[in-house]
């Protein structure tokens, strides 16, 4: 198994975009640590594939990104994994990917749903990043996940899109404040992506899928393979001069 001094931490890495990002980073020669909320078996499968197919080191840790009070315990576990598996106390790349969806119009939105979105998509990202900074290596990078919904509007996405808008502002501040250490921060804003998470909704509403495809210049819904490689690129040496940027990866939707 190859050795490498580059390590990426990917939240929500057991499926979807996080899973694909883990594979693309591993393909580029980066070791990965993924987090999962409940799907331990799926996370273990990702670890095994990274190790067996891409010949990189990998590990999985449980994390609820919406529970900031659990972060101290998580980072204690992370420190142990870094020491035991890599003989180091730092990692290079943070990919804040974990998230949930909640399609509700403004008049339907409840405080409980709003708070859950806020905790996972903004508060959790903010404070996870805060706690990660001291154990990130200089000249690393942060990649946050936003959404095409911060540029265009679709019904029932006001709360989700607002959280992602906050992440876009936060990313610029990370890029500014961590620049003296050479740590870059960028964000990827996917369009509509068909994953195991979104597929049931698309299957139940094929007209929505057809409408989105019709409004996309490249004529289809996105898939995880469209996104993971972009995240891997932002963590590469080739992207060393890309900082504080929003990169929409949507196939040209609503141009």
């Amino acid at each position: 198994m190859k050795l490498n001094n580059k390590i990426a931490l990917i939240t929500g890495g057991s499926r979807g975009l996080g899973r694909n990002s883990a594979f693309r980073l591993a393909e580029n020669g980066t070791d990965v640590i993924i987090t999962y909320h409940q799907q331990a078996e799926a996370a273990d499968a990702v670890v095994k594939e990274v190790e067996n197919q891409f010949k990189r080191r990998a590990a999985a840790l449980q994390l609820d990104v919406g529970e900031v009070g659990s972060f101290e315990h998580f980072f204690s576990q992370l420190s142990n994994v870094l020491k035991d598996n890599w003989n180091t106390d730092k990692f290079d790349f943070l990919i804040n990917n974990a998230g949930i969806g909640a399609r509700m119009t403004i008049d339907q939105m409840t405080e409980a749903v709003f708070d859950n979105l806020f905790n996972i998509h903004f508060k959790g990202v903010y404070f996870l990043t805060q706690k990660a900074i001291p154990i990130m290596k200089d000249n690393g990078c942060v990649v946050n996940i936003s959404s095409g919904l911060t540029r265009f509007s679709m019904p029932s996405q006001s709360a989700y899109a607002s959280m992602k808008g906050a992440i876009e502002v936060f990313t610029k501040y990370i890029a500014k404040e961590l620049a003296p250490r050479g740590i870059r921060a960028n964000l990827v804003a996917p369009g509509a992506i068909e994953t195991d998470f979104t597929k049931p909704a698309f299957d139940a509403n094929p007209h929505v899928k057809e409408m989105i495809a019709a409004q996309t210049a490249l004529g289809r819904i996105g898939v995880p393979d469209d996104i993971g490689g972009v995240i891997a690129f932002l963590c590469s040496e080739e992207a060393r001069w890309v900082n504080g940027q929003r990169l929409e990866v949507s196939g040209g939707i609503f141009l």
Side-chain angles (χ1 to χ4, degrees):
M1 187 174 293
K2 299 176 185 177
L3 299 179
N4 190 359
N5 62 353
K6 302 293 185 183
I7 305 167
L9 173 63
I10 308 167
T11 65
S14 64
R15 64 180 186 175
L17 303 187
R19 176 178 181 269
N20 191 268
S21 298
F23 294 159
R24 300 290 74 79
L25 281 159
E27 189 175 40
N28 282 6
T30 300
D31 295 344
V32 297
I33 301 171
I34 65 169
T35 77
Y36 64 93
H37 183 202
Q38 295 176 321
Q39 299 191 10
E41 290 186 6
D44 288 341
V46 172
V47 168
K48 288 183 174 63
E49 187 160 356
V50 167
E51 292 176 338
N52 296 333
Q53 180 174 339
F54 300 104
K55 309 305 179 185
R56 307 309 312 175
R57 294 185 180 186
L61 291 171
Q62 197 279 332
L63 173 67
D64 182 350
V65 295
E67 289 290 338
V68 173
S70 70
F71 289 179
E72 185 173 350
H73 175 66
F74 168 75
F75 277 95
S76 176
Q77 289 185 307
L78 176 62
S79 295
N80 290 336
V81 166
L82 287 169
K83 181 179 179 180
D84 294 343
N85 292 18
W86 283 273
N87 194 30
T88 185
D89 57 357
K90 295 184 184 296
F91 67 97
D92 301 89
F93 311 128
L94 172 63
I95 293 89
N96 284 308
N97 166 76
I100 61 168
R103 293 179 54 86
M104 298 177 72
T105 58
I106 296 170
D107 62 315
Q108 295 172 333
M109 182 58 60
T110 66
E111 187 174 0
V113 172
F114 185 95
D115 286 348
N116 195 36
L117 284 168
F118 175 80
N119 288 338
I120 291 172
H121 285 287
F122 184 54
K123 183 179 180 181
V125 171
Y126 192 105
F127 286 102
L128 188 78
T129 303
Q130 179 197 66
K131 290 186 178 298
I133 288 169
I135 61 170
M136 288 186 67
K137 294 179 183 177
D138 291 351
N139 303 311
C141 74
V142 177
V143 179
N144 291 327
I145 306 300
S146 181
S147 170
L149 292 164
T150 63
R151 177 176 64 83
F152 54 82
S153 302
M154 296 187 72
S156 304
Q157 298 285 6
S158 63
Y160 173 84
S162 295
M163 307 306 170
K164 292 302 188 181
I167 288 299
E168 294 195 1
V169 173
F170 179 47
T171 301
K172 295 179 182 179
Y173 278 85
I174 301 171
K176 188 74 169 182
E177 294 188 13
L178 299 189
R181 291 181 52 194
I183 295 176
R184 299 174 294 108
N186 296 288
L187 59 87
V188 172
I193 305 295
E194 187 167 19
T195 66
D196 62 334
F197 182 69
T198 60
K199 191 175 186 301
F202 282 138
D203 287 347
N205 301 280
H207 64 285
V208 173
K209 183 176 178 179
E210 293 169 3
M211 181 275 291
I212 293 173
Q215 294 295 330
T216 301
L218 293 180
R220 63 172 174 83
I221 296 290
V223 296
D225 269 336
D226 297 323
I227 308 298
V230 178
I231 293 172
F233 160 73
L234 289 173
C235 295
S236 72
E237 178 63 18
E238 285 77 9
R240 63 187 180 275
W241 203 236
V242 182
N243 194 25
Q245 301 303 305
R246 177 189 187 273
L247 182 54
E248 184 171 313
V249 190
S250 66
I253 190 172
F254 295 126
L255 295 178

